[in-house]
Amino acid sequence: MTISLNTLARRGAQVLALTALTALTALAASMASAQTPGKLKVGLMLPYTGTFASLGNAIENGFRQHVTELGGKISGREVEYFKVDDESDPSKATDNVNKLIKRDQVDVLIGTVHSGVAMAMAKAAKESGTLLIVPNAGADAVTGAMCAQNIFRSSFSNWQPGYAMGEVMAKKGIKKVVTITWKYAAGDESVRGFKESFEKGGGTVVKELSLPFPGVEFQGLLTEIAAAKPDAVFTFFAGGGAVKFVKDYAAAGLKKSIPLYGSGFLTDGTLDAQGEAADGLFTALHYADSLGTKRDNAFRLTYAKTYKLQPDVYAVQGYDAAQMLAIGLNATKGDASKAAEISAALGKATIDSPRGPFTISKAHNPVQDFYLRQVGAKENKKVGIASAKLEDPARGCKL
Ligand code: BEZ
């Protein structure tokens, strides 16, 4: 076969044009990817089943509410969600968090509710360098001995609400208290915080009762409370367990004779189910249903319209986790791996939260007001400030 010179020249020109086009396409693609970072992969590790299921859902709702307000993007990166149900089970926590870190390769972890699960998340976050924002679990160690540049909390430490309530009860002149809680980090540390301020204020904890998480067989322990005849009881329970405890306490006839106090989780997100058994209870927490500020009213209205539910403290903490993420990533042009820059930005920030403005301590825990609340008409009504601008002591943190 003979090929003319003309044909050869045409084919050569075609090959050259094709090569140039391929090179141009590759260049355009690489310029585009340099200008537009990929999606921001957010790993939500929360309880969607079990006694804390409603808490996990409220945190996710709150987080999504703020991301929606930002147009679905944080620092210009479209948010893509990856979800794992942690079941509030510490024995599955390391495997679960690795699904998000190793399999899904998320940029940031948001989780969780249960202190024991959160400690496993903090360990994995520290080892892998993945940014972690804890939207509930109060484990003192997370912003104490385990603190790290890339680990933050939008909620509280277990020490904080316990300490705030101890101050209130000591000031009321209460002298003898029995404590009752679940035997795990959140219960133990809430009681420790309570005891620290209550005993400093002149009170005595005469008995510390507990049962394994998430047990709800309270009868034997209620009999012990009745026999001890303290002036009052201090407790930490949350979610489904808190509903059952408050109802059992009232049904046992103790509510009238031995006043019940708690960290505010006892009555947050639980009032519909607790009914009149919760009426009149005093608790301390960093949120209340009746703050009445412009900021909180707007948050509550949008939440109620979007989810057909009333928000609670968990929804606020999820919302603020998204606010903190946006503040941090705006300082790094969306790069979640720059922990030192994120830490510096959050260290300077005041978070405009529905709970009221708060700042972030050097150990990365909120410094915030704790409200004294009383239950009335299915609301946790603010009746005063239990402890203003309370900062966790961050014992063991070396940041
Ligand atoms: C915790 O395990 O830290 C926790 C769980 C529910 C409410 C508050 C704290």
Side-chain angles (χ1 to χ4, degrees), residues 52 55 112-116 118 136-139 153 156 158 182 184-187 189-190 213 236-239 263 265 314 317:
F52 289 159
L55 288 59
T112 185
V113 169
H114 183 285
S115 275
N136 182 69
R153 188 147 49 192
F156 61 95
N158 290 323
W182 279 313
Y184 83 110
E189 292 168 359
S190 298
F213 174 87
F236 164 85
F237 288 110
S263 62
F265 310 106
Y314 309 105
Q317 294 168 167

Side-chain angles (χ1 to χ4, degrees), residues 186-225:
D188 292 345
E189 292 168 359
S190 298
V191 167
R192 216 176 296 143
F194 167 77
K195 216 170 151 180
E196 189 177 323
S197 58
F198 183 61
E199 297 201 333
K200 214 190 283 171
T204 311
V205 171
V206 292
K207 198 168 227 176
E208 295 181 33
L209 300 172
S210 62
L211 75 168
F213 174 87
V216 288
E217 299 309 318
F218 300 121
Q219 286 314 320
L221 298 172
L222 293 176
T223 307
E224 282 196 57
I225 291 173

Side-chain angles (χ1 to χ4, degrees), residues 160-175 177 193-203 232 234 260-263 281-285 370-374 383-388 390:
Q160 284 177 307
Y163 189 90
M165 202 63 207
E167 287 187 297
V168 169
M169 289 172 69
K171 277 190 202 132
K172 272 182 188 264
I174 295 168
K175 291 290 175 217
V177 160
F194 167 77
K195 216 170 151 180
E196 189 177 323
S197 58
F198 183 61
E199 297 201 333
K200 214 190 283 171
F234 170 80
L260 177 64
Y261 296 85
S263 62
L281 294 185
F282 285 99
T283 62
L285 205 63
F370 279 77
Y371 303 111
L372 179 63
R373 305 120 41 97
Q374 186 174 28
V383 293
I385 303 282
S387 197
L390 185 62

